[in-house]
Amino acid sequence: MPATITIEQEDEGLAVIIIDQTLLPNQTKLLRLRAVAEVCEAIRSLRIRGAPAIGCAAAAGVALCASRAEARTQTAFMGQLEDSIAQLAATRPTAVNLFWALERMRKAIARHGQSSRAQLVSALTLEARKVIADDLARCHAIGRYGRQLIEPSSAVLTHCNAGALATAGYGTALGVIRAAHEAGRIRQVWVDETRPLLQGARLTAWELQQEDIPCVVITDSMAASVMADRQVDAVIVGADRIAANGDVANKIGTYGLAILARYHRIPFYVAAPVNTIDYQLTAGSEIPIEQRGPAEITHLAEHATHPIVPIGVAIHNPAFDVTPHSLVSAIITDRGIAQPPYVETLAAYQELD
Ligand code: MRU
């Protein structure tokens, strides 16, 4: 599988290379992005998606802008960088990793404010590469911690795609599943298809198939029934933003799964790097939830010609929901496994710089 995101030097400046995830599983096509507007479009249209991957793309986008900026004066150059940060920040509102990565780039700009343009470009390129490398390392740490929670011969259920495609590689929820599989503990993965954009069916099943991890795709509405049949030993999902009290925003449908898991006495785990925790928000009700366009619901695929909903009927399409911390059995991070009370256990992981 190609890397989710890489940065390459070309004659005219940097290029950001991503897999176009909207084409999977039918086509594995790499896209070379050469302008911030292209990076923004790729994030907005989910060509690259998943909270950590969005952060990596945003960091790379700032470095890309610096390397290709045409501004003549230092003031205009700095203005162009600020503009690119503002454009990237406006792409998607929920995943806090995006804002975390942009803040990291802003700090790098401030640290090198007095340097020459060439020095600043190489400092930002280095910083973006570090954001990507750092994310990969965090995913591996999450996998190492999380596999301890998975009992031998488990059938686990996951939702959306929190895999290599959603991160710099390896994945968060899928990182735990990969590590547990390597340890011989996974019998099977139930993959929720994840309407409306089918990240489970298209992306998670594709990743698992590539590594010969046994998986079965179900529609979202089948999760209750497989749980009732005692065919699920644990649910494990990723996160887009976690409030300081442990409330978790993740792909729409996650909250329902958490309720089902509690009813059936199945552990419900969330796997995420600590930069997904937004310590400024006390509760999940403060997390901004992205609302997306109606076409994702009225049509079964981007280019489908026939709607599956009568034309003119109103559509509600929130991309994420919030699972209250009381339904979360543990939060697996790159710093360790947080157990309730999260307000205390997550506070211990706060990264201060
Ligand atoms: O809309 P998406 O596909 O970006 O949503 C992604 C998710 O909800 C993932 O579960 C989350 O970002 C965690 S990815 C490691």
Side-chain angles (χ1 to χ4, degrees):
M1 169 174 161
T4 311
I5 179 164
T6 48
I7 300 172
E8 275 180 24
Q9 185 68 53
E10 293 182 342
D11 289 346
E12 304 290 312
L14 296 180
V16 178
I17 294 102
I18 62 164
I19 307 175
D20 186 344
Q21 298 189 28
T22 62
L23 302 177
L24 287 170
N26 299 310
Q27 219 183 316
T28 310
K29 183 176 165 194
L30 295 182
L31 286 181
R32 295 184 84 82
L33 310 174
R34 297 187 174 94
V36 175
E38 291 174 11
V39 178
C40 291
E41 190 280 332
I43 296 174
R44 226 178 268 115
S45 61
L46 275 60
R47 296 186 202 287
I48 185 159
R49 30 93 16 230
I54 294 173
C56 294
V62 176
L64 168 66
C65 168
S67 75
R68 290 181 182 263
E70 284 168 0
R72 296 199 173 183
T73 65
Q74 182 69 357
T75 315
F77 176 60
M78 288 301 190
Q80 230 174 314
L81 287 181
E82 267 311 314
D83 272 2
S84 75
I85 291 177
Q87 284 171 41
L88 288 158
T91 50
R92 296 191 75 189
T94 304
V96 78
N97 310 60
L98 172 73
F99 307 100
W100 172 88
L102 289 174
E103 192 49 33
R104 203 165 140 166
M105 297 308 281
R106 197 176 265 130
K107 283 183 180 152
I109 295 170
R111 273 200 308 277
H112 297 88
Q114 305 308 318
S115 315
S116 70
R117 193 186 289 200
Q119 284 169 330
L120 184 51
V121 170
S122 41
L124 293 181
T125 309
L126 185 66
E127 192 67 10
R129 289 201 164 115
K130 272 194 204 160
V131 167
I132 296 170
D134 175 73
D135 186 58
L136 186 58
R138 287 177 193 260
C139 287
H140 281 280
I142 288 169
R144 280 194 299 277
Y145 283 118
R147 71 179 162 205
Q148 304 162 31
L149 294 172
I150 308 297
E151 300 293 334
S153 192
S154 284
V156 299
L157 186 146
T158 191
H159 190 64
C160 193
N161 173 266
L165 291 165
T167 59
Y170 204 66
T172 55
L174 279 200
V176 173
I177 290 171
R178 281 191 163 91
H181 182 255
E182 279 161 26
R185 291 172 177 230
I186 297 287
R187 186 175 81 251
Q188 185 196 296
V189 183
W190 292 103
V191 178
D192 266 2
E193 69 170 349
T194 318
R195 269 285 280 156
L197 293 179
L198 308 175
Q199 290 94 329
R202 294 189 303 105
L203 310 177
T204 298
W206 182 76
E207 280 194 37
L208 293 172
Q209 187 184 50
Q210 300 236 326
E211 296 194 19
D212 283 331
I213 300 177
C215 68
V216 178
V217 174
I218 52 173
T219 67
D220 301 335
S221 52
M222 294 171 190
S225 141
V226 291
M227 287 187 195
D229 288 346
R230 311 300 319 156
Q231 295 194 68
V232 180
D233 299 302
V235 176
I236 174 155
V237 297
D240 286 82
R241 197 186 293 221
I242 302 173
N245 70 346
D247 292 349
V248 174
N250 190 49
K251 180 52 57 193
I252 192 76
T254 302
Y255 176 34
L257 277 181
I259 294 171
L260 290 174
R262 174 58 54 91
Y263 181 81
H264 292 97
R265 298 175 200 278
I266 296 166
F268 180 87
Y269 300 124
V270 173
V274 293
N275 54 15
T276 302
I277 304 166
D278 186 344
Y279 289 97
Q280 293 179 355
L281 304 187
T282 52
S285 54
E286 297 162 44
I287 299 175
I289 299 295
E290 178 181 7
Q291 302 290 326
R292 294 187 62 88
E296 294 178 355
I297 292 185
T298 56
H299 291 70
L300 274 178
E302 201 186 344
H303 302 296
T305 42
H306 298 295
I308 54 164
V309 178
I311 292 164
V313 170
I315 298 295
H316 177 55
N317 186 18
F320 303 97
D321 58 25
V322 176
T323 299
H325 60 88
S326 57
L327 296 177
V328 178
S329 312
I331 300 178
I332 306 157
T333 77
D334 49 307
R335 303 281 304 276
I337 299 173
Q339 310 272 1
Y342 296 115
V343 81
E344 288 167 21
T345 51
L346 293 181
Y349 296 154
Q350 188 160 11
E351 291 176 344
L352 303 169
D353 50 11

